[in-house]
Amino acid sequence: MLIRNGVAVLVNGPVRLDIRTRDEKIVEIAEQLTPEPDEPVIDANGKMILPGFIDSHVHFRDPGGPQKEDFLSGTRAALAGGVTTILDMPNTQPPTDSWERLLEKVAIVAPKAVVDYGFYLGATDTNIEEAASIAGEIAAMKLYMGSSTGSLLVTEFSPIYRHFSTFPSDKPIVVHAEDEQSLKYFGALGSQEHNQARPPVSAQIALSRALAIAEKTDRVLHVAHTTTERELELIQEAKNKGVRVTCEVTPLHLFLTEEDQHRIGNFAKVNPPLRSEKDQQALWRYFATIDTIGTDHAPHTREEKKQPYEKAPSGMPGVQTMLPLMLNAVSEGKVTIEEVIKRCVINPARIFGLKTKGALEIGKDADIVLFDPNQEVEITDEQMLSKCGWTPFAGRKVKGKIEQVFIRGTLAYEQGTVLAQPGSGKAMQY
Ligand SMILES: [Zn+2]
């Protein structure tokens, strides 16, 4: 296939280029390529050619939460959002915390996937040796230092330290950094403001602990969903000292604040919470410190979210809205397109060892998004392909529209319609 006349976003920015794909790969990139006999040609005049986005943080609820999402609905939502690779978190039901559970999950979800995928293994108090021994089959280990959705939790020093010192030194350990003891303390004070029930200091305590342990054990630490200025200061300081730490921010925290809890109630409840406007602004100011943008796509049904504060589960969907929101931020001049591609494609591929992904480059998988930067689109609940059927961004107008998505050279999505067949998504090799 030949994609002609588009503006391709490469590592260093947008360039007017033609791209040829063959046998699932990008095989040629040049200023001008001539179609071969019988070669399908796509005219991308006026469009941007983006590498498929990688969402390294999703919760597709499969197995265990089919009323919220399953791997088919989750990956369809990803595809419609220009996300061609996802990494699925382990707090499913049952949790993915052993080799056996990982194999069970693969068997359940592989026949449903329409985008490429990888998995996290959840750390427990006791699976230290096992986690280390199967590290080559997973994207990373996920360690919950504070309670969130599901039962995975490791709070004591000994198992945390042993996980870090036993896990392979070249593989990331991803932490949910909220401190359990302080969450219990602040939670018991009874505030219904989520940002007070799980305040920034809880994140700061857990992060400081994780950074100290990563430094001492010389392991690769990736901090999920950072939300505050203080966390980014600590991470930047650790980076300056040579600690192997990278960090993520979610579009939820980039584009919403605690005020949104007053607007949409518990639909805006998420762990860690939406923060103050001051912290939100700091995320943009510290954009250079942020390595990845992951959505923390965590769907819950409307009925679940309408329950009282104490009962309503935490998490919001987001896999379908990351690309439109980030590219809209580009159109508003908040960040450059190459800064977005770095955090949504290049860095996640590098950090999680996704060798065949990560850029519009010869030899990489032909995961390609054709994007019309000039159309204006309103985000609506109805467009969402997630089973939960709602988005906290409903009503937002964004500049730019995803027109076509190719996965490994095959047209998988076009103008609102998913064309990919269940099971066409492939498991990542590391
Ligand atoms: Zn998460």
Side-chain angles (χ1 to χ4, degrees), residues 44-213:
N45 191 17
K47 313 228 171 89
M48 301 193 90
I49 308 170
L50 309 171
F53 276 34
I54 297 170
D55 189 347
S56 50
H57 190 157
V58 304
H59 301 266
F60 281 170
R61 312 298 189 202
D62 205 352
Q67 75 284 9
K68 304 175 200 271
E69 198 81 290
D70 64 20
F71 225 72
L72 177 58
S73 61
T75 54
R76 281 168 55 91
L79 191 49
V83 171
T84 52
T85 306
I86 60 96
L87 301 180
D88 187 52
M89 285 293 172
N91 58 337
T92 38
Q93 227 22 274
T96 317
D97 59 4
S98 68
W99 177 236
E100 200 185 337
R101 288 279 166 78
L102 182 65
L103 291 181
E104 277 171 24
K105 189 177 202 172
V106 172
I108 292 166
V109 307
K112 304 178 188 174
V114 298
V115 301
D116 291 351
Y117 54 89
F119 301 106
Y120 287 85
L121 188 84
T124 69
D125 284 346
T126 55
N127 70 353
I128 292 151
E129 303 295 333
E130 185 164 15
S133 73
I134 59 179
E137 308 294 327
I138 53 173
M141 177 162 66
K142 175 74 179 283
L143 193 150
Y144 287 84
M145 300 174 82
S147 302
S148 194
T149 305
S151 55
L152 289 168
L153 184 65
V154 186
T155 61
E156 294 298 311
F157 178 81
S158 162
I160 296 175
Y161 188 80
R162 284 164 57 223
H163 266 300
F164 271 81
S165 51
T166 310
F167 205 62
S169 68
D170 57 348
K171 199 87 184 172
I173 298 169
V174 178
V175 291
H176 179 122
E178 286 185 286
D179 174 66
E180 183 66 10
Q181 283 192 17
S182 69
L183 291 182
K184 279 190 181 144
Y185 174 82
F186 291 111
L189 299 181
S191 173
Q192 301 217 338
E193 295 286 332
H194 202 48
N195 191 22
Q196 289 175 29
R198 298 177 76 113
V201 67
S202 297
Q204 187 187 335
I205 293 167
L207 174 62
S208 302
R209 211 171 166 214
L211 284 170
I213 294 172

